[in-house]
């Protein structure tokens, strides 16, 4: 059974955050809230944990994993950010956006797109995510908690309609830690913006996509 950590949504308790970080550094996989959907994640630098996340989501190795960074300056450590990309990102960070960018050598191959050498990065507008990122000092994997049910890596439509209690119950034996801030799951995923070419493109309309149109 997963360990449940109750965290205040606006003022995350330092001691609880430290307990979660200790688990992540030990290779734990967690379920946690973000500014979009609940996510399954782990320390970017824990290979065994990243492999478990892929197994849980039934993702093949050619499917890149998104991860969270605490700030735009931190993003530049893990991705090549061109001047046009920077101008777009600074207007939308922090927020509900995933940016596809060329990966640097610090991004594990297990996380990035093996052919394009790209990665997906988010800087969420969420206090618990920010607290975890700052305490860990590494990016955190972030893939939606919608689990595949039909054998082809796609989640069933009903999966997005689970309540918080139902979601926790379903993942209780699958993850090691559950971060509970009392919020109910949202059904809006992040907006994905491809910044890997000279022509930026919104390739998935999710939460906040209308605001992104002005800058893309």
């Amino acid at each position: 059974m997963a360990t449940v950590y109750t965290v205040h949504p606006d003022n995350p308790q330092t001691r609880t955050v430290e307990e979660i970080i200790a688990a992540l550094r030990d290779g734990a996989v967690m379920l946690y809230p973000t500014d979009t959907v609940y996510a399954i994640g782990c320390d970017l630098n824990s290979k065994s944990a990243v492999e478990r996340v892929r197994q849980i989501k039934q993702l093949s190795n050619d499917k890149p994993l998104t991860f969270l960074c605490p700030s735009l300056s931190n993003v530049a450590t893990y991705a090549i950010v061109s001047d046009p990309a920077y101008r777009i990102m600074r207007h939308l960070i922090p927020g509900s956006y995933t940016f596809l960018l060329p990966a640097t050598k610090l991004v594990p191959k297990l996380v990035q797109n093996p052919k394009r050498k790209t990665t997906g990065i988010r800087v969420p507008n969420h206090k618990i995510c920010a607290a975890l990122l700052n305490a860990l000092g590494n990016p955190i994997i972030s893939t939606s908690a919608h689990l595949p049910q039909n054998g082809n890596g796609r989640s069933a439509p009903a999966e997005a309609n689970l309540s918080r209690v139902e979601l926790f119950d379903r993942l209780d034996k699958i993850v090691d830690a559950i971060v509970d801030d009392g919020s109910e799951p949202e059904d809006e995923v992040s907006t994905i913006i491809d910044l890997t070419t000279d022509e930026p493109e919104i390739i998935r309309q999710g939460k906040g996509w209308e605001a992104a149109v002005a800058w893309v």
Side-chain angles (χ1 to χ4, degrees), residues 24-83:
L24 292 178
R25 287 178 175 153
D26 200 36
V29 172
M30 68 174 174
L31 171 69
Y32 65 106
T34 73
D35 54 349
T36 56
V37 298
Y38 268 78
I40 295 171
C42 64
D43 184 340
L44 177 73
N45 292 336
S46 176
K47 182 179 179 180
S48 61
V50 173
E51 289 174 340
R52 280 186 57 205
V53 171
R54 283 196 173 280
Q55 291 170 356
I56 290 170
K57 289 296 298 277
Q58 296 181 20
L59 295 174
S60 60
N61 286 343
D62 63 343
K63 299 292 185 182
L65 285 169
T66 293
F67 58 86
L68 308 182
C69 285
S71 65
L72 179 52
S73 60
N74 187 252
V75 169
T77 303
Y78 298 92
I80 299 169
V81 182
S82 66
D83 288 342

Side-chain angles (χ1 to χ4, degrees), residues 37 146 155-163 185-188:
V37 298
H146 299 165
S155 58
E159 178 74 19
N161 298 321
L162 293 179
S163 70
E186 291 192 32
D187 58 6
E188 274 194 291

